[in-house]
C-alpha cells in the first residue's frame, strides 16, 4: 500500500513539474502529464526497479485502473453538462449529423486503405483486422479535448460544437465497432451472430442512456435535501463514483449479454442533472476543482501505459503509419464535409477535424476486445502506436486550432497566485 501511495504522489508531482517545462514551449498541460507518465513508466525510470519511484511494470499500471475509470467518469459527467437545452436547440441536430457522418467517413477511409494493403500484402495484415481497425478509428478521446478546453478557457461556436460532437462520437463509435467486429469475426471464424452484431450494441446504448437518466434524476432529487455547498458537492462526487461503479456491471438476459458504456452513462447523468438542477453550473465548478488531481493522475497513468515495445516491430509501424494518415484524413475531411452539409462557417469547417484527432482509452478498450481475432495482436499494437502519437501531438493541435479560430485568448504572464491573492 505504501508503494502505491508513494507512486501516486510522485506521479502527481512529476506531472505538475513537467507542466512547468512544457509551458516554456507553449504546449498544453495534457501533453506534459502524458510525457511525465512516459518517463515514470516501466520503459524509463520505472525500469530501474526502485519501489515507489515510477511504475515498475505494465501490470502495476493496470492495477491503478480504478483511478483512470473514476477520472473518465468525471470527465464524461462534465461533458454531459454541456448538453444544455439552450445549446441543443441551437446546434443539436447539426452536432448529430456531424458526429455521425465524420465517424462513418473515417471508418470507411481507414477500411479502404487497410483492406487494399491486406489484398496486396496478405502476410502483413488480414482483412478482418483491417475492418476492425477501421471501426476503432472512429473513436475520439474526450478527456484530452476537454482538458485543453478547460485549461485555456476556450469558448465560442467551435468549442461548443466540438464538445457535443465528441460526446456523440462515443455512441457512434460503439455501434460501428460492434458491427465491424461482428463482421470481422464472421470472416475469420466462418459464422456470424446477429445478436452480437446488432442486438447487443443497441441494448448497451439504450441501457446506458436509461441508467444515466435515472442517476441524473436521483442526483437532482437528493441535492434538494442539502443546502450546504460543500455537502452538495460531496453528494455530486459520491453519485459520479456510484455511477462509474454501476456502469461496470455486466449480466446476461435471455442469451443476450448486457453491459453499459461508462462514458455514455456518465454523460447522460450530467446531461439530465444540468437540465433539471438550477444550481448545476455552480456545483460543477466546485466538482471540477475537486477532481483536478484525479485528472492529472489519469493522464500520467495513461502515459505510463504507453507500450514502447511496439516501436520495435516494422510491421506495426508500417500499418500504424497508414492507420494514422488515413484516420487523420478521415477526421479532417469527414468533419469538413459534414460542416459543409450543415452550413457551418468556414472557420469551423477548417478547424473542427483537427480537434477530433486525439485518441486514447476508448480505442484501447476496443483494441483489447479485437485482440481475440486471429492476428488480433497486430490490432492492439497498431492502436497502441497510434495512441502514443495522437496523445502526444493531438492536444497541441487542438490548442492550435482553437487559437486559430479565435476561441483561445493569447497566453499572458499573469500569475495565478496574484489573481487569487
Amino acid at each position: 500500500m505504501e508503494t502505491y501511495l508513494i507512486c501516486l504522489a510522485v506521479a502527481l508531482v512529476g506531472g505538475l513539474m513537467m507542466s512547468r517545462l512544457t509551458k516554456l514551449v507553449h504546449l498544453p498541460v495534457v501533453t506534459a502529464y502524458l510525457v511525465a507518465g512516459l518517463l515514470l513508466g516501466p520503459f524509463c525510470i520505472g525500469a530501474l526497479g526502485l519501489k515507489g519511484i515510477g511504475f515498475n511494470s505494465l501490470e502495476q499500471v493496470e492495477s491503478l485502473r480504478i483511478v483512470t475509470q473514476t477520472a473518465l467518469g468525471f470527465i464524461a459527467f462534465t461533458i454531459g453538462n454541456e448538453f444544455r437545452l439552450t445549446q441543443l436547440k441551437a446546434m443539436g441536430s447539426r452536432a448529430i449529423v456531424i458526429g455521425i457522418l465524420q465517424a462513418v467517413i473515417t471508418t470507411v477511409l481507414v477500411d479502404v486503405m487497410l483492406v487494399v494493403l491486406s489484398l496486396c500484402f496478405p502476410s502483413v495484415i488480414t482483412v478482418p483486422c483491417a475492418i476492425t481497425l477501421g471501426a476503432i478509428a472512429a473513436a475520439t478521446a474526450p478527456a484530452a479535448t476537454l482538458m485543453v478546453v478547460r485549461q485555456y478557457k476556450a469558448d465560442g461556436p467551435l468549442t461548443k460544437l466540438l464538445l457535443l460532437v465528441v460526446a456523440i462520437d462515443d455512441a457512434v463509435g460503439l455501434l460501428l465497432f460492434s458491427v465491424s467486429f461482428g463482421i470481422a469475426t464472421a470472416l475469420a471464424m466462418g459464422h456470424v451472430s446477429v445478436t452480437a452484431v446488432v442486438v447487443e450494441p443497441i441494448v448497451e446504448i439504450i441501457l446506458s442512456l436509461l441508467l444515466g437518466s435515472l442517476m441524473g434524476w436521483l442526483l437532482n432529487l437528493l441535492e434538494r435535501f442539502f443546502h450546504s455547498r460543500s455537502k452538495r458537492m460531496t453528494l455530486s462526487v459520491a453519485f459520479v463514483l456510484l455511477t462509474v461503479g454501476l456502469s461496470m456491471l455486466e449480466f446476461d438476459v435471455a442469451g443476450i449479454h448486457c453491459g453499459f458504456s461508462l462514458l455514455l452513462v456518465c454523460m447522460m447523468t450530467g446531461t439530465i442533472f444540468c437540465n433539471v438542477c438550477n444550481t448545476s453550473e455552480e456545483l460543477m465548478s466546485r466538482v471540477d476543482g475537486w477532481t483536478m488531481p484525479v485528472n492529472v493522475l489519469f493522464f500520467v497513468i495513461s502515459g505510463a501505459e504507453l507500450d514502447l515495445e511496439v516501436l520495435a516491430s516494422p510491421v506495426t509501424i508500417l500499418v500504424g503509419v497508414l492507420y494514422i494518415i488515413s484516420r487523420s484524413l478521415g477526421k479532417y475531411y469527414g468533419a469538413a464535409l459534414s460542416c459543409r452539409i450543415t452550413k457551418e462557417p468556414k472557420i469551423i469547417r477548417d478547424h473542427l477535424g483537427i480537434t477530433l484527432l486525439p485518441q486514447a482509452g476508448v480505442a484501447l478498450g476496443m483494441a483489447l476486445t479485437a485482440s481475440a481475432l486471429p492476428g488480433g495482436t497486430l490490432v492492439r499494437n497498431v492502436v497502441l502506436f497510434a495512441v502514443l502519437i495522437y496523445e502526444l501531438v493531438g492536444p497541441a493541435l487542438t490548442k492550435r486550432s482553437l487559437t486559430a479560430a479565435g476561441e483561445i485568448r493569447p497566453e499572458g504572464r499573469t500569475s495565478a497566485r496574484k489573481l487569487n491573492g
Side-chain angles (χ1 to χ4, degrees):
M1 182 63 71
E2 64 274 12
T3 301
Y4 280 101
L5 289 174
I6 294 171
C7 269
L8 293 177
V10 169
L12 277 171
V13 175
L16 293 174
M17 295 306 292
M18 185 59 68
S19 71
R20 299 305 301 170
L21 293 177
T22 54
K23 187 176 176 66
L24 298 176
V25 289
H26 305 293
L27 287 174
V29 293
V30 177
T31 305
Y33 302 149
L34 289 164
V35 171
L38 202 58
L39 294 175
L40 291 170
F43 300 99
C44 293
I45 295 174
L48 299 175
L50 302 174
K51 285 190 176 181
I53 309 301
F55 303 98
N56 304 134
S57 66
L58 288 173
E59 289 73 25
Q60 185 182 8
V61 179
E62 178 63 25
S63 67
L64 296 171
R65 186 168 174 264
I66 186 173
V67 177
T68 57
Q69 293 297 92
T70 299
L72 269 180
F74 280 105
I75 288 165
F77 182 69
T78 301
I79 291 177
N81 270 268
E82 301 297 329
F83 279 73
R84 296 181 182 274
L85 284 177
T86 50
Q87 284 187 228
L88 289 175
K89 288 176 182 177
M91 59 176 64
S93 59
R94 288 148 50 204
I96 291 171
V97 171
I98 294 170
I100 294 174
L101 199 53
Q102 58 83 24
V104 171
I105 290 173
T106 301
T107 295
V108 170
L109 187 56
V110 176
D111 275 345
V112 170
M113 288 276 284
L114 295 183
V115 167
V116 169
L117 176 66
S118 174
L119 295 176
C120 295
F121 304 97
S123 60
V124 173
I125 184 173
T126 64
V127 172
C129 288
I131 292 173
T132 305
L133 279 169
I136 294 174
T140 298
T145 302
L146 182 65
M147 282 290 284
V148 173
V149 169
R150 288 297 169 92
Q151 179 189 352
Y152 297 105
K153 297 180 174 59
D155 190 31
L158 175 58
T159 302
K160 289 182 172 65
L161 181 62
L162 169 63
L163 292 174
L164 292 177
V165 170
V166 165
I168 292 165
D169 197 74
D170 182 54
V172 179
L174 176 64
L175 269 176
L176 286 173
F177 176 75
S178 299
V179 172
S180 296
F181 184 63
I183 294 171
T185 303
L187 290 173
M189 307 297 184
H191 63 84
V192 62
S193 169
V194 176
T195 301
V197 174
V198 180
V199 178
E200 289 183 357
I202 293 176
V203 168
E204 180 172 332
I205 290 174
I206 292 173
L207 287 177
S208 298
L209 295 178
L210 288 175
L211 177 59
S213 300
L214 175 63
M215 297 304 288
W217 178 76
L218 284 175
L219 175 57
N220 177 63
L221 187 67
L222 292 177
E223 288 277 5
R224 298 175 182 176
F225 290 96
F226 302 95
H227 301 289
S228 163
R229 290 178 178 176
S230 58
K231 288 181 179 178
R232 296 177 75 192
M233 184 200 74
T234 302
L235 181 64
S236 299
V237 170
F239 247 76
V240 175
L241 293 175
L242 176 61
T243 304
V244 170
L246 291 174
S247 67
M248 294 179 181
L249 296 175
E250 295 181 5
F251 51 93
D252 292 315
V253 177
I256 299 174
H257 182 72
C258 301
F260 303 93
S261 165
L262 183 150
L263 288 175
L264 276 182
V265 173
C266 292
M267 281 179 192
M268 196 63 186
T269 302
T271 300
I272 296 298
F273 178 65
C274 78
N275 283 292
V276 297
C277 178
N278 295 328
T279 59
S280 61
E281 287 193 57
E282 178 210 344
L283 278 171
M284 279 310 303
S285 64
R286 287 176 163 270
V287 171
D288 285 344
W290 184 89
T291 57
M292 187 58 200
V294 179
N295 291 338
V296 173
L297 283 175
F298 170 78
F299 287 105
V300 174
I301 292 171
S302 296
E305 281 181 320
L306 298 176
D307 190 345
L308 297 185
E309 288 182 352
V310 299
L311 299 178
S313 170
V315 172
T316 297
I317 294 176
L318 169 64
V319 179
V321 168
L322 281 175
Y323 172 85
I324 290 171
I325 291 172
S326 54
R327 179 181 181 270
S328 300
L329 290 173
K331 286 291 181 183
Y332 182 79
Y333 288 107
L337 176 60
S338 307
C339 289
R340 190 175 292 277
I341 291 172
T342 56
K343 299 179 180 178
E344 301 297 328
K346 186 177 185 301
I347 195 74
I348 293 180
R349 294 202 305 267
D350 291 344
H351 295 289
L352 178 63
I354 298 295
T355 63
L356 296 173
L357 290 181
Q359 191 172 44
V362 177
L364 289 173
M366 292 176 178
L368 186 62
T369 302
S371 62
L373 286 170
T377 303
L378 177 65
V379 174
R380 177 181 173 277
N381 289 341
V382 167
V383 174
L384 278 170
F385 173 71
V387 166
L388 174 64
I389 303 301
Y390 278 128
E391 283 297 87
L392 295 177
V393 176
L397 292 176
T398 298
K399 177 201 170 187
R400 183 175 176 276
S401 291
L402 291 174
T403 302
E407 301 190 6
I408 290 180
R409 287 182 293 178
E411 295 178 71
R413 295 183 177 274
T414 306
S415 168
R417 196 175 283 112
K418 290 180 181 177
L419 287 175
N420 296 329

